Amino acid sequence: MRGALPLSLLLILGEAAAIIPLFSPSQFSFWMLETPIEVPVWALPLGASLLIILACLLLRFLANSFVLYEEEDRHWSTLLTTLLFLLYPFAWSSGSVLISLLPYLGILFSLYNSYRHSDRPLDLTTAGVFMGLGVLLYPPFIALLPLILFTAIDLRAFSLRSSIGFFLGLISIFIIATPIALYSESLPHLRQSLQDIFTPRPIWQEGNMLPSPHLVAVTVSTSLYAIATLFGVVRLGEKKVRVRQLMAAQMRPALILPLGTFYSQHLVGLSLLSLIPASMVMVLAFPAHKRKVRTFWLIVLILSLLVVWSLPFFS
């Protein structure tokens, strides 16, 4: 388990090599772009793998900085995060969703720092900037806003001064982006894209059901998140108050997942956003020193990976 970080890096790069044939020819699409950008066939999987590696490293740094886990559990966290991302090979072309993982981690750092240093309102201003950046990259990111505000209140970091700083940071991104959008020639496209993004498409309506690999991956990761949250709530009582509050914040993003049933076009994206908090809660609920429990969840994840990766060959 102590070699989890090198193993995770090898697994991520191995998946990048394995899914290169899926992107030929390769196009990078972004909601602001009117036409996709042609990129080399290796660019999307390699870029996605580098983003996921960076997210894993930042998550490891976060856990170390705030001493969220025991030392052995930090390696377990890295491995779990990697395996959860491997459930979504088909989503590695969604550059905007994966890039938005970095603003999410930036928000976590800022919120946790505001808990450690309650006299520094600039931490929440930074969280607001990351929030605005996340929404700009991936508009459904806005679903996290009420959860972030609630977390700031729970961590006692929300005052009049810090709330003003947060909203100033949030709108600063749009103050910069709005004039560019208004004077660009793609304004009608942006308007249409936003309409498509925020138009409900309930998953139970005809034509909105996800393909089988997507549905299996979402079902597995959401189920693991829900089970870990139930067990994690019990284990929170064993932790110190500081760790209890910081880890409770990672259980709240589960509340955005039901939105995916009404906005099926974002179900995979919202599930990707939930993978980092899901892995953190799983480590809390199923710590590494419980070897039988750890082995059980490893088997579950590996079997789920085999199912997700084999389904395209049988469809």
Side-chain angles (χ1 to χ4, degrees):
M1 189 61 68
R2 293 190 179 278
L5 186 56
L7 176 61
S8 297
L9 300 183
L10 287 174
L11 286 171
I12 292 169
L13 292 174
E15 175 166 355
I19 63 179
I20 281 177
L22 301 177
F23 301 101
S24 181
S26 194
Q27 291 183 330
F28 175 74
S29 57
F30 183 56
W31 72 275
M32 289 185 180
L33 298 176
E34 197 163 356
T35 55
I37 300 174
E38 295 285 343
V39 295
V41 67
W42 47 264
L44 285 179
L46 179 61
S49 65
L50 293 177
L51 282 171
I52 293 171
I53 288 171
L54 181 57
C56 288
L57 292 174
L58 288 173
L59 183 58
R60 183 72 168 268
F61 178 71
L62 178 75
N64 291 347
S65 299
F66 295 94
V67 198
L68 299 178
Y69 317 124
E70 301 295 333
E71 184 176 353
E72 188 179 9
D73 287 336
R74 296 170 195 172
H75 304 285
W76 177 224
S77 170
T78 303
L79 185 59
L80 280 177
T81 306
T82 302
L83 292 176
L84 287 173
F85 275 113
L86 294 183
L87 280 172
Y88 289 82
F90 44 81
W92 283 34
S93 59
S94 304
S96 56
V97 181
L98 288 176
I99 292 173
S100 65
L101 292 172
L102 302 183
Y104 177 77
L105 284 167
I107 291 170
L108 285 189
F109 273 105
S110 301
L111 287 175
Y112 284 16
N113 270 326
S114 69
Y115 180 77
R116 179 186 281 176
H117 307 286
S118 57
D119 58 339
R120 287 166 47 181
L122 280 179
D123 286 325
L124 275 192
T125 305
T126 307
V129 171
F130 280 122
M131 183 73 210
L133 186 60
V135 173
L136 192 66
L137 292 170
Y138 182 58
F141 197 90
I142 193 68
L144 290 170
L145 179 59
L147 304 180
I148 290 167
L149 294 177
F150 183 84
T151 297
I153 294 170
D154 184 46
L155 297 179
R156 299 178 182 176
F158 210 67
S159 62
L160 178 61
R161 188 171 56 165
S162 61
S163 62
I164 293 173
F166 177 84
F167 286 107
L168 285 176
L170 176 62
I171 65 173
S172 65
I173 298 295
F174 298 101
I175 290 174
I176 298 171
T178 300
I180 300 173
L182 289 176
Y183 288 100
S184 69
E185 297 180 357
S186 59
L187 189 58
H189 167 74
L190 293 177
R191 193 179 295 119
Q192 183 60 47
S193 294
L194 287 173
Q195 184 178 343
D196 292 341
I197 287 170
F198 292 107
T199 299
R201 295 180 186 173
I203 197 169
W204 56 84
Q205 289 185 355
E206 187 177 357
N208 293 337
M209 181 57 69
L210 297 178
S212 297
H214 299 56
L215 191 60
V216 171
V218 168
T219 302
V220 170
S221 63
T222 303
S223 300
L224 289 175
Y225 196 2
I227 293 169
T229 300
L230 291 174
F231 282 89
V233 168
V234 177
R235 287 189 54 82
L236 276 179
E238 305 171 7
K239 301 293 182 181
K240 296 179 180 178
V241 174
R242 178 179 62 85
V243 175
R244 191 184 310 164
Q245 286 183 289
L246 296 180
M247 290 304 298
Q250 301 312 310
M251 298 179 181
R252 295 178 189 126
L255 298 174
I256 69 172
L257 294 177
L259 287 175
T261 59
F262 299 96
Y263 295 87
S264 59
Q265 69 269 38
H266 304 311
L267 183 53
V268 170
L270 294 174
S271 298
L272 276 172
L273 278 178
S274 74
L275 294 185
I276 286 177
S279 66
M280 295 177 73
V281 176
M282 285 184 70
V283 174
L284 171 70
F286 313 115
H289 66 268
K290 294 189 175 181
R291 297 185 181 277
K292 291 184 179 179
V293 175
R294 184 184 69 191
T295 302
F296 173 77
W297 289 115
L298 270 177
I299 292 172
V300 168
L301 274 170
I302 291 171
L303 289 178
S304 301
L305 285 169
L306 290 174
V307 171
V308 168
W309 280 77
S310 63
L311 276 174
F313 297 100
F314 296 101
S315 59

